[in-house]
Amino acid sequence: MIQLSDIRITFGKENNRIDALKNVSLEVRQGEFLAVMGKSGCGKSTLLNVIGGVLKPTKGSYLFEGNDVSAFSGKQMAEFRNRNIGFIVQNFALVNEMTVRENVMLPLAYAKIKRSEAMKRAEEAMERLGIIQYEYKFPSKLSGGERQRVAIARSIAADTSVILADEPTGSLDEATGRSVIDIFKELNGSGKTIIMVTHDRELAEQGTRMLTMKDGEITGAQAL
Amino acid sequence: MSVLFTNLRIIMGKHKLATFLLIVFSALCLCVFGTLSEKADRAHASSEKYDETYGNKTYYRTVEAINDNAYHDYCTIDSKGLYEKLLSFEQLLLNSEAFTFIDISVQPVDINMPELAEQFFYGYENGRPAKPYRVDGRILQPIKSLQVSKSFFDEYDISVSDGEGFSEEDYFHKNKENIPVLLGSEYKEFFATGDKLYGDYLSERFTFIVKGFISEDAFFPDQSTMTSCGRYIVMPALFFETKGDAAKYSLLQKLCGIVSSSMGYEKTKELFEQYKLEANVANRELYISDPNAFADLTNFLDQYSAMTKEVASQFTVMVLIVMLFGVIATTLTLCSALRKNRQNFGIEMLCGATRVDIFKVALLFLLTVLLTADALSLLFAPDAMLSIQLAVLCMLLLSSIITAVYIKNMDMHDILGGNE
Ligand SMILES: Nc1ncnc2c1ncn2[C@@H]1O[C@H](COP(=O)(O)OP(=O)(O)OP(=O)(O)O)[C@@H](O)[C@H]1O
Ligand SMILES: [Mg+2]
């Protein structure tokens, strides 16, 4: 499903060049729950950015279901993110000035899906994650765990096949964090591909495969 | 669609004061722009009008200096029939196809109205306003007046703003007691079309009937300057039917006029002499002045031209600066608002928004601000409607180009790894 070969990402120019990723090759099959671990600054977020179609690789090729994402235009990239990728991040990435409902419907709005259909899907997703009672509240009024569930509901409503999670439990207490992972496991069970960056080995072990990174390179892979 | 408006609402909601101030400032810019560009237009128009009116023509004054003996005879019995000869000479000048002869005399008229505002008094500009005097129990005040031929209006492009101009008949004085007059624009607050003034002209009693008013932008050459017609009573340079004193005086005065010619001095003078010959006044002291003697006026006209052109271009520069201010204020406010909203835009891009979608929000913001300012400014400067619309369009175009560049270069990749 996801095929990265020899990906290089270089930031900065001339003297302060940084290779955030060097020759990263990776294959992810549909239905995997991949956990990525590594020290701070080793390039985990950068890797997710590449897979999510946010960053274009400086070098190398990225095939998603056979399509060459590295050759996409800006508009195609946006469409690609919209259709295929759900982003869950440590700080939730919710628009604070929009209600829970508006946040959940955001990808659907950009997908130009009919409003009635979008509302139905958003409601189903919120129902599924138990946040329907907050639909007209603003994210700032919710707890961290609830906010993270709004972000997950957003990707469920958009029905993306891939969920990219960058330290999704980083801002949550242990119990809430574990419940988020449980949701991931459930989603993974229903066929979604999940790639999750975490510092917590215990949480990482909940996945189907674990990658370790160091200095912009993948240094180890371990099936669980 | 609805995301677009939600985003606009978010940006404006977060920057209510800035948006409000921006609208007020833009409206102000547009008002100033409108007013200035009207002025610039007028300055351009008057510099164009100048070129059209004065172009490459040269003016020559004509002078009468008939010697004392001949003058005395002319004024009394006129044994030589000089009056008729001069009359036919005047006709030759007026009917010439080769040049234009313009009568401009500045003989004051004495009006029975000493309470008139001082700026209309004869001699006011020289610091020696004429004093009123008493005659036959009336108090008469000499006031500034112009006696002009029909060619005066064409040559100096002078129009009548109120009432109507002189008809052909008005130039013929058939023993009537009425003389039609046009008043300078500064008279407007004191008189109206149809009013009557009583007084003396060339020592004869007349009733002056106000036919209308000269438009504000009217100037005529007086000595060496262009003088506004604003404070003058303009009357026709009359043709008298009967050979009376007034007829004789005014005829001599009318012969002191201006020849407008593009033939050059030598040829113009040649023709002038030929007309003298034809009218049988070749031996009389009638002259056409050397252009150098009139250099002052020519110089002045050049200066006037340069001045109007300079004013026009200065106005244009000011207009552009005002517009630029508007554009700068708008783009600064908008770009800073966009920058503050970068986090949200980043999130929306993760959800499938493109930079074009963000630009649409910015454009909607610009449209809202500028169109509101547009509507406001039209309330205050409705006359400048067209130029304001043009300014709005330019401001919109410039601001959106700058904003587009800004959005294109806005970094939005750090949301994923962002450590808020
Ligand atoms: N936009 C950027 N411009 C320049 N350098 C960047 C940029 N984004 C990341 N980097 C650099 O690339 C390297 C990898 O960063 P990345 O965010 O992928 O690390 P990470 O593994 O996610 O770290 P953390 O665990 O702290 O989130 C770091 O050295 C970082 O400084
Ligand atoms: Mg990171």
Side-chain angles (χ1 to χ4, degrees), chain B residues 3-240:
Chain B
V3 202
L4 195 63
F5 287 104
T6 308
N7 274 315
L8 181 70
R9 195 197 67 212
I10 291 173
I11 290 187
M12 287 195 165
K14 269 191 189 163
H15 304 90
K16 283 192 203 82
L17 185 66
T19 309
F20 172 75
L21 288 179
L22 186 60
I23 289 174
V24 171
F25 182 75
S26 306
L28 214 73
C29 278
L30 288 174
C31 281
V32 173
F33 176 91
T35 324
L36 278 181
S37 66
E38 280 238 309
K39 288 227 166 72
D41 271 357
R42 243 182 279 149
H44 276 299
S46 75
S47 99
E48 253 163 46
K49 178 178 156 184
Y50 173 89
D51 281 345
E52 268 169 32
T53 313
Y54 303 106
N56 52 10
K57 280 180 208 158
T58 313
Y59 292 105
Y60 309 96
R61 275 197 200 278
T62 59
V63 191
E64 159 276 310
I66 289 168
N67 66 61
D68 288 354
N69 287 341
Y71 180 72
H72 188 254
D73 181 63
Y74 172 76
C75 289
T76 50
I77 53 167
D78 193 13
S79 58
K80 305 261 165 49
L82 184 57
Y83 178 75
E84 286 75 15
K85 289 177 192 166
L86 290 177
L87 214 53
S88 71
F89 178 58
E90 186 199 20
Q91 283 308 310
L92 286 169
L93 291 178
L94 284 172
N95 296 333
S96 170
E97 307 229 314
F99 58 57
T100 312
F101 180 67
I102 309 139
D103 273 337
I104 310 180
S105 310
V106 287
Q107 177 70 35
V109 295
D110 304 340
I111 298 292
N112 185 6
M113 199 181 257
E115 72 275 15
L116 202 63
E118 208 182 17
Q119 77 256 28
F120 301 116
F121 291 5
Y122 186 71
Y124 173 78
E125 272 80 13
N126 305 328
R128 280 174 271 107
K131 297 250 156 42
Y133 63 93
R134 203 174 269 280
V135 67
D136 314 332
R138 297 173 302 154
I139 300 174
L140 295 181
Q141 170 64 52
I143 65 171
K144 286 174 284 191
S145 172
L146 287 176
Q147 294 78 39
V148 301
S149 59
K150 196 165 165 286
S151 50
F152 170 83
F153 294 96
D154 301 331
E155 186 66 25
Y156 299 110
D157 201 7
I158 286 169
S159 55
V160 172
S161 69
D162 224 4
E164 50 185 272
F166 296 136
S167 65
E168 293 287 341
E169 288 177 13
D170 288 339
Y171 291 93
F172 292 94
H173 187 262
K174 295 177 179 157
N175 293 331
K176 288 174 301 191
E177 285 175 0
N178 297 338
I179 297 180
V181 294
L182 294 169
L183 301 183
S185 55
E186 289 190 33
Y187 274 103
K188 262 192 185 161
E189 49 179 307
F190 304 105
F191 296 100
T193 304
D195 281 358
K196 289 177 180 165
L197 291 86
Y198 302 94
D200 288 10
Y201 171 59
L202 296 172
S203 306
E204 288 188 22
R205 276 175 91 147
F206 290 104
T207 301
F208 303 95
I209 297 174
V210 179
K211 266 199 108 172
F213 291 85
I214 301 280
S215 65
E216 255 171 67
D217 56 354
F219 288 84
F220 73 96
D222 176 31
Q223 311 298 339
S224 60
T225 58
M226 290 301 282
T227 300
S228 163
C229 298
R231 295 171 175 176
Y232 281 80
I233 288 187
V234 178
M235 51 186 273
L238 293 170
F239 297 99
F240 288 84

Side-chain angles (χ1 to χ4, degrees), chain A residues 66-83:
Chain A
N67 299 313
D68 188 359
V69 178
S70 44
F72 278 178
S73 68
K75 193 177 173 222
Q76 286 173 313
M77 291 268 259
E79 222 175 273
F80 164 77
R81 290 193 296 269
N82 182 266
R83 289 230 184 103

Side-chain angles (χ1 to χ4, degrees), chain A residues 45 48-49 54-55 74-75 78 81-82 87 89 91 93-98 102 106-107 109-110 115 154 166, chain B residues 2-3 6-7 9-10 14 343-344 347-354 357 412-413 415-420:
Chain A
S45 297
L48 289 198
N49 270 321
V54 175
L55 272 179
K75 193 177 173 222
R81 290 193 296 269
N82 182 266
F87 292 92
V89 302
N91 59 26
L94 299 174
V95 178
N96 286 323
E97 295 81 0
M98 291 184 184
E102 284 173 319
L106 201 50
Y110 283 112
R115 208 174 152 72
R154 183 174 64 192
D166 195 347
Chain B
S2 70
V3 202
T6 308
N7 274 315
R9 195 197 67 212
I10 291 173
K14 269 191 189 163
Q343 183 77 20
N344 284 352
I347 294 166
E348 293 191 27
M349 283 184 79
L350 290 184
C351 294
T354 57
D357 290 315
M412 273 174 299
H413 288 152
I415 305 304
L416 249 187
N419 322 303
E420 272 291 290

Side-chain angles (χ1 to χ4, degrees), chain A residues 167-188:
Chain A
E167 293 178 43
T169 60
S171 311
L172 307 176
D173 61 62
E174 230 184 290
T176 322
R178 224 172 294 122
S179 76
V180 167
I181 301 299
D182 288 341
I183 298 171
F184 281 166
K185 283 177 82 170
E186 189 204 321
L187 290 173
N188 182 237

Side-chain angles (χ1 to χ4, degrees), chain A residues 35-215:
Chain A
V36 183
M37 294 194 67
K39 280 209 199 107
S40 182
C42 69
K44 306 180 295 292
S45 297
T46 308
L47 178 66
L48 289 198
N49 270 321
V50 172
I51 296 172
V54 175
L55 272 179
K56 263 194 187 181
T58 317
K59 225 191 83 202
S61 84
Y62 170 21
L63 296 182
F64 185 92
E65 290 177 341
N67 299 313
D68 188 359
V69 178
S70 44
F72 278 178
S73 68
K75 193 177 173 222
Q76 286 173 313
M77 291 268 259
E79 222 175 273
F80 164 77
R81 290 193 296 269
N82 182 266
R83 289 230 184 103
N84 305 299
I85 312 289
F87 292 92
I88 317 288
V89 302
Q90 182 175 354
N91 59 26
F92 320 115
L94 299 174
V95 178
N96 286 323
E97 295 81 0
M98 291 184 184
T99 59
V100 165
R101 188 190 176 86
E102 284 173 319
N103 268 290
V104 172
M105 284 171 68
L106 201 50
L108 302 173
Y110 283 112
K112 304 209 163 47
I113 284 172
K114 264 210 327 225
R115 208 174 152 72
S116 56
E117 163 78 5
M119 269 173 359
K120 209 180 110 217
R121 279 164 67 170
E123 271 158 27
E124 277 171 11
M126 288 186 289
E127 204 99 56
R128 186 166 167 190
L129 285 155
I131 49 167
I132 187 83
Q133 67 271 31
Y134 305 130
E135 63 176 328
Y136 294 112
K137 287 205 161 147
F138 289 94
S140 51
K141 298 277 181 291
L142 304 185
S143 72
E146 286 160 348
R147 283 193 233 183
Q148 203 55 296
R149 274 191 267 178
V150 174
I152 298 171
R154 183 174 64 192
S155 72
I156 290 174
D159 197 22
T160 61
S161 52
V162 177
I163 290 179
L164 299 180
D166 195 347
E167 293 178 43
T169 60
S171 311
L172 307 176
D173 61 62
E174 230 184 290
T176 322
R178 224 172 294 122
S179 76
V180 167
I181 301 299
D182 288 341
I183 298 171
F184 281 166
K185 283 177 82 170
E186 189 204 321
L187 290 173
N188 182 237
S190 64
K192 296 212 187 274
T193 308
I194 298 178
I195 302 175
M196 175 176 77
V197 168
T198 179
H199 285 298
D200 190 326
R201 179 164 283 271
E202 218 177 292
L203 293 182
E205 280 166 356
Q206 304 292 312
T208 57
R209 184 156 64 119
M210 189 163 76
L211 284 184
T212 33
M213 288 184 68
K214 198 182 170 193
D215 292 340

